[in-house]
Amino acid sequence: MAGWTSDSDDSDKFEWDNDGEAEPSSAPAMRNFDSPGPSTLGSNEWINGEVPPTSLIERYVVMGFPKEMVMKSIKEIGHSDADALLELLLTYKALDDDDAVGNNHSTSGCILPVVEDDDDPDFENCDGDDDAGGRESSSDDSGYEDFMREMSERDEKINSLVHMGFSEDEANRAITRCGVDADICVLVDSVSASRVAEDCHSRNLSDHQVTDRCFNSFGGRKKARLMEESRKKRKRYGGGGQGNRPSLDGSDEESMPLPNPMVGFNLPGYSGSSVTRMLSKLDTGPPFFYYENVARAPKGEWAKISRNLFDIQPEFVDSLHLCAAARKRGYIHNLPIENRSPLLPLPPKTIFEAFPHYKKWWPSWDTRTHLNCLQTCVASAKLTDRIQRALVSSSNPPPKSVQKDVMDECKKWNLIWVGKNKVAPLEPHEMELLLGFPRDHTRGVGKTQRYKSLGNSFQVDTVAYHLSVLRRMFPNGVRVLSLFTGIGGGEVALHKLGIHMRVVVSVEIGEASKKIFRSWWDQTQTGTLIEIDDVKSLTNDRVASFISQFGGFDLVIGGSPCNNLAGSNRHHRDGLEGKHSALFYDYVRILNFVKSTMAGRRM
């Protein structure tokens, strides 16, 4: 059985024992830029083999940092980001120069609970295939308990830091940087180093002024030391080859590691401390904006997205914590994050809660409790027939090797048990349920188009949780500019929240998606809908005319194409410079024009 191949609807072939992760033989081997080692360090141990100029090292030595410390820091994170390098040096200084350098303590203040690609090699794609290998903790009953335990630990650390006089925002950033398991002394030093670095650079101080201020800040405080020197080594932000992978355009881009678990700033029903964040007055709404894309984009792309969207921190969420299927996405928005509320009734959070009638056929050796991320295509009848024939010809229970092969395919394609030894793909209405859409939302177009449109959609419950803060702010309804509308996940979320949409200017190029959205709108809404085919045709003049006609927009929402960001696109994963994903810059262009035009009208 291990030698058989399965046939997908798009005629792709793959070996049953490859866990769904092997690339086609014609694809070039991808270099693992995320793992430290020879692939990223030159023979002299400098990242990418690039020896830093002597003048740069001397510059920091003159500032008062030991040469060994400077060289070690540059070897860890490179020298392209002066702010990050200074912060790392300051943290080492705070923790005791010689000890931190000589003993290789993992105490740089830059440790992150990163989802490592080499440990969890599934890939996210625009089609929802971020869990293709089925190796996610979603199939582990202990996943939610681990998450709650980690959140409790986080709360304790936050409370301790707040009692010391730090803000909740500083505490949260330090824990995100250093990890929940970091010692309090490490978190304190991380916050202190961040304060000094930010203050120095905000004042545009000279090198000597920076040195004086840094040493004055740390000189009078007792140097912190690790309480557990035997603690296992943690992954460092920027350590080895992780933080200095060259970006696709040839320049160095900082990495933005994903949190684990991927729970965003808070979750429905969670009673612990929530994340607090401060936005500048220029970044706050209205107009509010909400942007979404795949979480596992190429390294450096989320940092680039954030910079183009006012340097606002992304909120990474896996819908696994909100429904019965995983969907890893990143969101950047300027919405308030306090007083959120989930849609009621709460959606089913396990497979059997969503589909109890399948439990009678479910074999004991299939231990899944959640489904993986929903794709735009499903397994073929040939594959499901092969699985059935293999199980019929096997013992009961089947041998471990057969179980493994079957489970690999079940996880990859989200197959469910619909009869004895019989698996099948989810039906479109079942995908609608998992994604939070009303039943038959996509009905009226071909089945293939239904799968494609659903695979590319928002997860409605997640988006509604974030948008729920708008209910009190806009009791009379909202004016929405919807870019890359798709099948209307954002609009469905607003509707389910009870928020009236007075007007929606919808920009969507896909004919099937437009048909689905327009049909839903006509059946449920009373506001004004204006449809535009292409984001490129939405010029600044047209935006200005809409602002004049409707008095502005309250919300700009959308998720630009992720074709060149998704892990499944092995041949054209060109990031934001790719043909399709470059449309992100039209989102930025339009949003900036809306903000500036509305700001001018208020003056």
Side-chain angles (χ1 to χ4, degrees):
M1 185 168 178
W4 292 355
T5 59
S6 62
D7 305 315
S8 67
D9 287 344
D10 54 5
S11 299
D12 287 338
K13 304 274 188 182
F14 52 88
E15 295 296 322
W16 272 39
D17 59 357
N18 68 5
D19 202 29
E21 287 301 323
E23 297 179 36
S25 58
S26 60
M30 292 186 68
R31 187 178 181 185
N32 184 1
F33 287 97
D34 298 331
S35 301
S39 62
T40 51
L41 293 178
S43 58
N44 56 8
E45 295 186 354
W46 297 105
I47 291 178
N48 296 325
E50 180 185 355
V51 179
T54 305
S55 58
L56 177 70
I57 298 176
E58 292 301 321
R59 176 172 177 255
Y60 287 100
V61 170
V62 169
M63 292 171 65
F65 298 105
K67 185 176 181 179
E68 308 84 48
M69 182 190 296
V70 176
M71 294 174 67
K72 176 180 175 62
S73 299
I74 293 175
K75 283 181 179 180
E76 288 187 13
I77 66 171
H79 56 82
S80 60
D81 189 334
D83 289 350
L85 181 57
L86 177 60
E87 183 170 337
L88 179 56
L89 286 167
L90 290 171
T91 306
Y92 272 152
K93 193 74 177 174
L95 291 171
D96 189 325
D97 308 357
D98 296 330
D99 288 347
V101 175
N103 295 332
N104 292 320
H105 293 164
S106 293
T107 56
S108 66
C110 296
I111 311 158
L112 282 167
V114 183
V115 178
E116 295 292 337
D117 285 346
D118 50 356
D119 293 332
D120 185 14
D122 54 25
F123 288 95
E124 191 161 11
N125 67 29
C126 195
D127 304 335
D129 188 26
D130 68 302
D131 295 290
R135 299 180 183 175
E136 202 43 49
S137 60
S138 60
S139 60
D140 184 354
D141 292 336
S142 64
Y144 189 72
E145 294 178 5
D146 291 340
F147 155 67
M148 294 302 292
R149 184 163 49 251
E150 183 165 339
M151 295 298 277
S152 177
E153 248 185 89
R154 186 185 186 97
D155 288 340
E156 291 180 10
K157 296 274 175 76
I158 289 174
N159 290 335
S160 297
L161 290 168
V162 169
H163 289 154
M164 294 180 188
F166 299 113
S167 71
E168 280 193 21
D169 187 43
E170 288 176 316
N172 270 296
R173 279 189 285 138
I175 291 173
T176 299
R177 183 184 297 115
C178 301
V180 175
D181 60 342
D183 296 319
I184 285 293
C185 64
V186 174
L187 297 175
V188 169
D189 283 309
S190 177
V191 174
S192 301
S194 295
R195 282 184 172 184
V196 172
E198 289 172 6
D199 187 53
C200 291
H201 285 277
S202 66
R203 293 169 178 263
N204 294 318
L205 302 178
S206 68
D207 287 350
H208 292 296
Q209 288 174 312
V210 169
T211 306
D212 292 342
R213 186 166 185 83
C214 294
F215 291 163
N216 288 340
S217 176
F218 286 117
R221 183 171 60 83
K222 183 179 180 179
K223 294 179 179 179
R225 297 187 179 276
L226 292 175
M227 291 186 283
E228 296 177 23
E229 296 197 11
S230 61
R231 183 183 293 273
K232 64 181 181 180
K233 292 182 179 179
R234 306 180 183 102
K235 299 289 185 183
R236 290 184 185 142
Y237 169 62
Q242 184 175 325
N244 286 269
R245 169 188 172 183
S247 70
L248 296 164
D249 61 2
S251 61
D252 285 341
E253 290 288 350
E254 67 270 31
S255 62
M256 188 171 286
L258 303 179
N260 186 14
M262 202 178 290
V263 296
F265 296 148
N266 52 40
L267 282 178
Y270 180 65
S271 59
S273 300
S274 298
V275 172
T276 5
R277 67 171 185 176
M278 299 294 292
L279 297 179
S280 72
K281 187 173 292 187
L282 292 175
D283 296 337
T284 55
F288 291 102
F289 76 90
Y290 188 82
Y291 176 81
E292 182 254 23
N293 217 312
V294 292
R296 288 184 177 170
K299 201 168 294 295
E301 295 304 286
W302 269 107
K304 195 182 299 183
I305 292 171
S306 176
R307 277 200 302 275
N308 280 277
L309 294 175
F310 318 107
D311 287 315
I312 294 176
Q313 176 188 355
E315 180 171 12
F316 294 108
V317 183
D318 186 346
S319 64
L320 166 73
H321 303 291
L322 290 157
C323 71
R327 199 175 198 79
K328 298 179 179 67
R329 295 293 183 264
Y331 305 88
I332 294 184
H333 58 84
N334 62 346
L335 295 163
I337 61 176
E338 299 82 18
N339 301 316
R340 292 167 162 177
S341 57
L343 287 174
L344 296 176
L346 294 174
K349 291 187 177 181
T350 67
I351 295 173
F352 294 148
E353 286 179 11
F355 312 117
H357 51 291
Y358 293 133
K359 189 172 185 179
K360 62 181 290 189
W361 303 115
W362 214 269
S364 60
W365 44 270
D366 183 346
T367 58
R368 290 177 295 166
T369 58
H370 293 79
L371 294 166
N372 283 328
C373 205
L374 305 177
Q375 306 177 47
T376 57
C377 57
V378 296
S380 69
K382 290 181 181 179
L383 172 61
T384 56
D385 182 60
R386 264 182 205 160
I387 292 175
Q388 185 173 14
R389 284 189 280 112
L391 292 174
V392 168
S393 62
S394 297
S395 58
N396 187 18
K400 294 291 185 182
S401 59
V402 175
Q403 291 182 26
K404 178 186 181 302
D405 290 336
V406 171
M407 286 310 304
D408 285 347
E409 300 299 344
C410 287
K411 291 175 181 179
K412 178 178 178 62
W413 297 104
N414 283 318
L415 300 176
I416 51 178
W417 299 91
V418 297
K420 184 178 180 181
N421 296 326
K422 184 179 180 181
V423 293
L426 293 164
E427 291 293 330
H429 72 271
E430 293 172 326
M431 288 181 63
E432 290 168 345
L433 170 67
L434 293 170
L435 290 168
F437 289 95
R439 186 182 176 110
D440 294 332
H441 180 76
T442 58
R443 196 165 183 175
V445 300
K447 199 169 184 179
T448 299
Q449 287 294 339
R450 294 182 73 183
Y451 282 125
K452 183 177 179 180
S453 63
L454 286 163
N456 285 324
S457 70
F458 284 160
Q459 204 288 323
V460 172
D461 300 283
T462 305
V463 174
Y465 182 58
H466 295 159
L467 299 181
S468 62
V469 296
L470 298 176
R471 275 191 289 211
R472 295 180 181 177
M473 302 168 70
F474 298 99
N476 297 320
V478 291
R479 301 158 296 178
V480 181
L481 176 55
S482 178
L483 305 177
F484 315 104
T485 302
I487 59 174
E491 289 74 17
V492 172
L494 290 168
H495 175 66
K496 294 179 81 170
L497 286 166
I499 300 174
H500 173 58
M501 286 165 279
R502 295 160 53 190
V503 60
V504 169
V505 175
S506 169
V507 185
E508 173 56 46
I509 199 168
E511 288 300 326
S513 293
K514 285 194 294 186
K515 181 177 180 180
I516 292 168
F517 177 62
R518 191 186 308 117
S519 174
W520 172 82
W521 181 274
D522 290 342
Q523 295 176 64
T524 62
Q525 305 302 305
T526 59
T528 300
L529 174 64
I530 297 175
E531 295 183 280
I532 297 173
D533 290 336
D534 189 353
V535 71
K536 291 290 187 184
S537 67
L538 185 57
T539 62
N540 290 349
D541 287 344
R542 292 190 75 182
V543 175
S545 68
F546 288 136
I547 291 175
S548 176
Q549 180 180 354
F550 302 118
F553 292 104
D554 305 304
L555 175 66
V556 180
I557 187 171
S560 58
C562 58
N563 305 56
N564 308 114
L565 300 174
S568 66
N569 194 341
R570 308 297 173 87
H571 301 288
H572 303 286
R573 202 176 186 216
D574 304 321
L576 294 177
E577 309 312 315
K579 176 182 177 181
H580 301 285
S581 293
L583 292 172
F584 161 74
Y585 294 107
D586 283 289
Y587 181 98
V588 174
R589 168 183 64 83
I590 294 167
L591 173 63
N592 283 328
F593 185 79
V594 170
K595 286 176 66 70
S596 61
T597 303
M598 290 182 61
R601 290 169 62 91
R602 287 195 293 266
M603 292 179 62

